[in-house]
Amino acid sequence: MKVPFFEPDIGEAEIEEVVQCLRRGWLTTGPKASQFENDFREYLGGNVECVSVNSATAGLHLAVEALGISDGDEIIVPDYTFTATAEIVRYMGAEPILIDVDKRTLNITPEGVKKAITKKTKAVIPVHFAGLAADMPGILSVARDAGIAVIEDAAHALPAFKDGTMVGQFDSDATIFSFYANKTITTGEGGMLVTKNPELAKRARTMRLHGFDRDAFDRFKGGGWKYDIVAPGFKYNMTDIAAGIGIHQLKKSQQFRDSRHRIAKRYIKGLEGLPIELPVDGDSQNDHSWHIFGIRIRPETGVKRDDLLVAMVDRGISCSVHYRPLHAMTYWRERYSLKEDQFPVAHLAGEQSISLPIYPKMPDEQVDYVVSTLWELLGQ
Ligand SMILES: *Cc1c(COP(=O)(O)O)cnc(C)c1O
């Protein structure tokens, strides 16, 4: 049996929408991007501003730019994340201060953030790892006490909840979602910056398109030649082609999540008893998005993760690793002279983790095959 790691769930509605967009002839940012922003705002409850962008990385960059982060500032970032979370800090000439994560959740904790705060700290960027929301009430309270900003990297977290509050609804300065090809919903490439701060939204809208004082869609409405440039902005706008896909993906977001949830439950039941750490499950107040289903091989098994990955591939199962931590990457290690013993949890997780296939249309037979293969390889 062949088991892909992930397959996007693209329906006829998305295909039809793209075809219509091409026939209409308005390809870049326009009515569909506006509609997607409106739909996203409604989806999150209506009391936020949504700024569509061409990637979550762009959205994260716009957030640190709007907050005025600059040379010498320190931004607290998990070591256990994708490099984008930290690289955008470097875009501003600021320094990411990498911290270790919690052993159970693999998220950063309020205590960990508190310990890392110095006079130079300007912000913290929690990541909701795998789709399990970080302790936002705790992190926000530590950040408020210290007077620092909070930017949520919610690339895995659509949808996810903490204590009944949806990610995107916390009082952070900005929350950024990703619609990359293998994220929980996709536009091919894309992202959404969400904020309750109208000033931050305004700055992000200006900077996502060259620093125009009005966006391309306004220009399209007439008087397009009459614009001003108020800053050296970026080229981060979302196309109508991408937004058209996103409008239909968003409608299915909960259905996708329910399918992944069902798969996660089947994995948890089937894998119980193996010498592995299973991911922390959510509950009714703490919905897990199940973007990633990661297991960690216990060191005492003596089975090497890399060998297990090869054995899985030999049996037709594509797996992945989330993450090789940032301290293990050449640039970050050398730039900040990082040592693995500064990040004991992230380091071990980076060596023991395997992400199993999970995607909405994954059939039960595939899940059961992954489970029985893991029993075959780890069961004795
Ligand atoms: C995917 C991802 C990003 C970047 O998203 P893009 O839309 O590809 O820019 C950032 N942070 C995390 C944790 C991610 O997984």
Side-chain angles (χ1 to χ4, degrees):
M1 193 184 288
K2 278 265 179 247
V3 185
F5 180 65
F6 179 81
E7 271 179 13
D9 191 336
I10 303 291
E12 282 309 311
E14 287 90 325
I15 294 168
E16 188 52 38
E17 187 75 50
V18 169
V19 170
Q20 274 179 25
C21 188
L22 297 176
R23 292 198 199 287
R24 202 184 303 124
W26 188 266
L27 306 184
T28 185
T29 310
K32 287 296 159 186
S34 295
Q35 188 190 334
F36 186 38
E37 291 182 348
N38 286 337
D39 291 358
F40 210 84
R41 189 178 61 227
E42 294 290 299
Y43 178 86
L44 291 177
N47 58 342
V48 294
E49 296 213 33
C50 295
V51 182
S52 59
V53 283
N54 60 8
S55 72
T57 307
L60 288 162
H61 185 193
L62 291 175
V64 284
E65 198 282 335
L67 287 166
I69 304 301
S70 69
D71 279 23
D73 291 343
E74 294 180 358
I75 315 290
I76 299 166
V77 172
D79 177 48
Y80 205 66
T81 186
F82 182 58
T83 193
T85 320
E87 80 194 20
I88 54 103
V89 174
R90 296 295 302 132
Y91 292 179
M92 307 307 298
E95 313 296 345
I97 303 300
L98 303 181
I99 63 171
D100 206 1
V101 289
D102 176 69
K103 209 168 19 192
R104 283 180 60 253
T105 63
L106 300 176
N107 280 323
I108 59 170
T109 62
E111 301 73 45
V113 173
K114 197 169 184 175
K115 265 194 269 169
I117 291 174
T118 72
K119 283 202 197 69
K120 293 180 180 169
T121 309
K122 289 287 157 59
V124 55
I125 311 183
V127 175
H128 305 296
F129 177 71
L132 181 73
D135 179 358
M136 288 315 299
I139 290 171
L140 281 162
S141 143
V142 166
R144 263 191 221 109
D145 286 350
I148 65 169
V150 179
I151 302 163
E152 292 171 68
D153 179 338
H156 302 176
L158 187 76
F161 288 76
K162 179 69 189 173
D163 301 342
T165 299
M166 192 176 198
V167 170
Q169 270 295 345
F170 285 100
D171 290 325
S172 2
D173 295 81
T175 302
I176 289 88
F177 295 93
S178 173
F179 314 128
Y180 180 64
N182 66 8
K183 293 288 157 67
T184 59
I185 71 167
T186 186
T187 61
E189 297 276 2
M192 192 72 77
L193 182 156
V194 173
T195 181
K196 290 181 177 172
N197 176 346
E199 286 303 310
L200 194 149
K202 183 161 184 259
R203 178 71 181 178
R205 285 203 181 93
T206 298
M207 294 306 282
R208 82 173 154 183
L209 196 65
H210 300 302
F212 283 137
D213 60 341
R214 35 208 301 223
D215 66 24
F217 185 50
D218 281 344
R219 291 197 290 133
F220 162 70
K221 284 190 210 152
W225 51 272
K226 206 177 174 188
Y227 63 81
D228 192 16
I229 296 296
V230 297
F234 309 107
K235 190 71 205 297
Y236 283 168
N237 53 309
M238 175 180 273
T239 66
D240 262 23
I241 303 171
I245 302 171
I247 287 164
H248 296 284
Q249 287 274 297
L250 185 63
K251 287 185 189 148
K252 293 183 275 192
S253 160
Q254 190 57 40
Q255 175 203 319
F256 289 168
R257 187 267 164 190
D258 292 344
S259 301
R260 291 190 306 272
H261 180 64
R262 191 179 43 74
I263 293 161
K265 289 282 183 204
R266 201 173 179 91
Y267 270 141
I268 290 171
K269 194 152 169 263
L271 297 173
E272 203 95 59
L274 279 175
I276 57 175
E277 301 295 337
L278 288 165
V280 174
D281 200 352
D283 59 47
S284 63
Q285 291 297 294
N286 297 281
D287 289 23
H288 196 311
S289 82
W290 293 113
H291 168 53
I292 291 167
F293 190 95
I295 60 170
R296 282 175 278 169
I297 312 165
R298 294 214 183 103
E300 63 268 21
T301 59
V303 176
K304 286 215 174 63
R305 187 270 314 278
D306 292 5
D307 294 343
L308 185 65
L309 273 171
V310 171
M312 295 291 274
V313 170
D314 279 348
R315 288 160 181 76
I317 301 168
S318 298
C319 295
S320 189
V321 173
H322 297 92
Y323 288 101
R324 278 183 65 218
L326 295 184
H327 76 259
M329 303 295 185
T330 303
Y331 171 74
W332 298 113
R333 188 181 60 240
E334 290 182 353
R335 178 74 172 73
Y336 295 103
S337 310
L338 302 173
K339 301 271 177 309
E340 60 187 60
D341 57 14
Q342 293 170 259
F343 312 96
V345 176
H347 188 73
L348 190 62
E351 305 219 302
Q352 311 296 139
S353 290
I354 289 195
S355 305
L356 303 181
I358 187 164
Y359 59 95
K361 277 201 178 134
M362 186 176 183
D364 284 349
E365 302 79 70
Q366 287 188 4
V367 181
D368 295 344
Y369 177 60
V370 175
V371 167
S372 62
T373 305
L374 283 167
W375 273 98
E376 177 207 330
L377 296 168
L378 292 173
Q380 25 279 339

